[in-house]
């Protein structure tokens, strides 16, 4: 196999046999927010199938309003951490590597939902997606506690045996809400101009780095778009993107997970580079690309909203971009959800055996 997808990759303490990453996908299959044996087996099957690195579904930090769903796992209660320890043990027994994606939903979480329905939702300015005032702005104490909650979660991940940690800073959730002028109307150190609005995220990265040490890999996931607005852009030019990323890089980010809906789409006019390509070029850091890898038809957002199926797609352009070292790692979502053996089949050239994605896959932990 000469495909660049199956070349080794290493950074800091993380060594992978190939460039394939299982993308984080919310499954809501953890009753009481505790990942059970079925969740551990689900991730183990992907490790057995040859994925280089698994990034788990989003798992919430220790804030009362971090989650809107008691079937979404948390990453702080003793029972949940015990469940995650079993996940790590199963993945490692199958020869895999794994990182949790730690998460806070912010104002995307509707008040009255989740583990603590009585708690008001957290947000930089307490604004809904439409800009309506629906709750209080986070206090300095709330912000400090949230930063510490992310650091505690990362420390727990390291202690349990996870191989890295990913911070969810994308898709309109809490960290991303601090980035956006429409959601962040603060006039203090947590608000301000385009660069100053990265301060909250940078402080989370710094706190995690202080907790886990210099050699433990920190992955930061970000997106230009958000669920509230697919056309939104944090940075309109490469220069703006460089300014946005600089504080996050200086804080200690090791790998950027650059979330796009279709990996082949260029990020800026005048270049074919996608978001992961530009991010690597501007920061010098390894990047993960993602977005409809191995599939054609509806993107993942459409799939999860409309329950559309997707056909198998070609990998030629993806491999060509990876060969040119535009990015370093490739996250695969729905294709791996439908077919745990996807990586092994691609490695062995058994493309005719690949399973297409069926929306029915969303109902079970295949």
């Amino acid at each position: 196999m000469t495909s660049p997808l199956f070349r080794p990759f290493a950074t800091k303490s993380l060594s992978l046999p190939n460039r394939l990453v299982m993308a984080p996908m919310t499954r809501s299959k953890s009753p009481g927010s505790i990942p059970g044996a079925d969740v551990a087996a689900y991730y183990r099957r992907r490790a057995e199938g040859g994925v280089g690195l698994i990034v788990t579904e989003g798992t919430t930090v220790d804030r009362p309003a971090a989650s809107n769903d008691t079937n979404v796992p948390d990453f702080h209660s003793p029972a949940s951490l015990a469940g995650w320890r079993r996940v790590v043990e199963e993945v490692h027994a199958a020869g895999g590597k794994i990182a949790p994606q730690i998460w806070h939903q912010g104002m995307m979480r509707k008040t009255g939902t989740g583990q603590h329905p009585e708690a008001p939702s957290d947000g930089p300015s307490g604004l809904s997606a439409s800009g309506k005032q629906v709750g209080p702005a986070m206090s300095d104490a709330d912000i400090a506690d949230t930063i510490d909650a992310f650091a505690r979660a990362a420390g727990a991940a390291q202690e349990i045996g996870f191989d890295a940690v990913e911070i969810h800073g994308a898709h309109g959730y809490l960290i991303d809400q601090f980035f956006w002028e429409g959601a962040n109307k603060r006039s203090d150190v947590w608000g301000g101009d385009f660069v100053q609005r990265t301060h909250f995220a940078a402080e989370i990265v710094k706190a995690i780095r202080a907790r886990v040490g210099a050699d433990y890999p920190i992955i930061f996931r970000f997106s230009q778009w958000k669920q509230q607005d697919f056309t939104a852009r944090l940075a309109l030019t490469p220069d703006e993107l460089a300014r946005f990323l600089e504080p996050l890089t200086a804080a200690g980010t090791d790998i950027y997970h650059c979330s796009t809906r279709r990996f082949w789409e260029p990020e800026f006019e005048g270049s074919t580079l996608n978001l992961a390509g530009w991010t690597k070029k501007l920061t010098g850091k390894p990047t993960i690309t993602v977005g409809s890898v191995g599939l054609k038809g509806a993107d993942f957002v459409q799939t999860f909203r409309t329950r559309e199926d997707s056909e198998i797609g070609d990998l030629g352009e993806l491999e060509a971009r990876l060969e040119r070292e535009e990015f370093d790692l490739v996250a695969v979502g729905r294709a791996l959800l439908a077919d745990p053996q996807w990586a092994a089949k691609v490695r062995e050239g058994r493309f005719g055996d690949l399973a297409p994605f069926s929306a029915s896959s969303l109902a079970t932990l295949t």
Side-chain angles (χ1 to χ4, degrees):
M1 169 57 68
T2 59
S3 169
L5 288 168
F6 296 94
R7 293 172 185 165
F9 170 83
T11 186
K12 292 194 170 180
S13 63
L14 182 66
S15 296
L16 306 176
N18 59 53
R19 304 303 178 100
L20 293 172
V21 177
M22 181 178 180
M25 292 174 282
T26 297
R27 302 310 312 274
S28 295
K29 304 294 184 185
S30 297
S33 300
I34 302 168
D38 56 344
V39 174
Y42 163 77
Y43 287 118
R44 176 169 181 149
R45 283 191 289 274
R46 274 72 191 171
E48 290 172 338
V51 174
L53 174 67
I54 292 168
V55 179
T56 75
E57 63 206 283
T59 178
T60 53
V61 299
D62 189 10
R63 284 286 293 174
S67 174
N68 68 349
D69 185 351
T70 57
N71 292 307
V72 164
D74 73 53
F75 209 81
H76 55 84
S77 67
S80 294
L81 292 176
W84 283 118
R85 186 183 294 274
R86 176 160 52 181
V87 171
V88 172
E89 290 169 351
E90 292 288 340
V91 168
H92 284 174
K97 301 290 179 70
I98 185 167
Q101 186 192 69
I102 51 177
W103 183 33
H104 189 312
Q105 295 180 4
M107 298 303 294
M108 289 283 283
R109 173 258 188 188
K110 183 179 179 180
T111 300
T113 61
Q115 293 175 316
H116 299 280
E118 76 287 353
S121 294
D122 288 329
S125 300
L127 302 176
S128 69
S130 63
K132 181 181 178 181
Q133 193 77 44
V134 295
M138 294 175 74
S139 67
D140 285 345
D142 292 332
I143 290 173
D145 186 61
T146 303
I147 292 170
D148 190 55
F150 273 94
R152 293 196 306 270
Q158 186 180 45
E159 181 180 345
I160 288 169
F162 280 92
D163 302 287
V165 64
E166 176 168 295
I167 304 165
H168 195 341
H171 303 167
Y173 293 112
L174 180 65
I175 294 174
D176 199 20
Q177 288 160 22
F178 273 83
F179 293 149
W180 289 94
E181 184 179 15
N184 184 352
K185 301 294 188 180
R186 303 177 73 100
S187 57
D188 61 6
V189 68
W190 307 108
D193 66 16
F194 177 73
V195 176
Q196 187 62 32
R197 292 195 301 272
T198 67
H199 186 55
F200 177 64
E203 289 301 306
I204 288 173
V205 176
K206 287 179 185 177
I208 289 176
R209 176 60 68 211
R211 184 68 62 99
V212 301
D215 202 40
Y216 194 71
I218 299 174
I219 307 167
F220 190 91
R221 193 178 210 206
F222 78 103
S223 62
Q224 289 267 53
W225 63 275
K226 53 184 175 177
Q227 292 183 60
Q228 302 93 324
D229 183 357
F230 292 154
T231 65
R233 291 292 180 270
L234 286 167
L236 299 178
T237 66
D239 179 66
E240 287 187 349
L241 183 61
R243 290 168 56 212
F244 170 79
L245 293 170
E246 194 281 330
L248 303 176
T249 301
T253 297
D254 295 306
I255 301 172
Y256 284 101
H257 190 169
C258 308
S259 183
T260 55
R261 296 164 65 198
R262 305 170 188 91
F263 79 85
W264 57 86
E265 293 182 343
E267 196 57 41
F268 303 113
E269 290 186 9
S271 169
T272 60
L273 290 177
N274 67 6
L275 184 61
W278 273 109
T279 298
K280 180 176 181 178
K281 181 176 181 178
L282 294 169
T283 67
K285 295 291 184 179
T287 59
I288 306 172
T289 197
V290 69
S292 301
V293 171
L295 297 175
K296 58 184 178 180
D299 65 35
F300 78 96
V301 177
Q302 292 171 297
T303 293
F304 280 80
R305 288 189 173 180
T306 65
R307 297 300 196 258
E308 292 183 45
D309 297 345
S310 297
E311 299 178 5
I312 295 168
D314 182 75
L315 297 176
E317 182 175 354
L318 177 76
E319 291 178 316
R321 287 171 178 256
L322 188 59
E323 187 70 62
R324 293 195 296 268
E325 299 184 348
E326 292 182 10
F327 38 75
D328 301 273
L329 297 162
V330 175
V332 184
R334 290 168 294 151
L336 262 174
L337 192 152
D339 190 344
Q341 290 291 314
W342 188 88
K345 291 176 182 178
V346 169
R347 185 176 188 277
E348 295 163 7
R350 295 189 289 124
F351 299 102
D353 295 336
L354 292 172
F357 172 80
S358 170
S360 62
S361 301
L362 299 175
T364 61
L365 290 174
T366 306

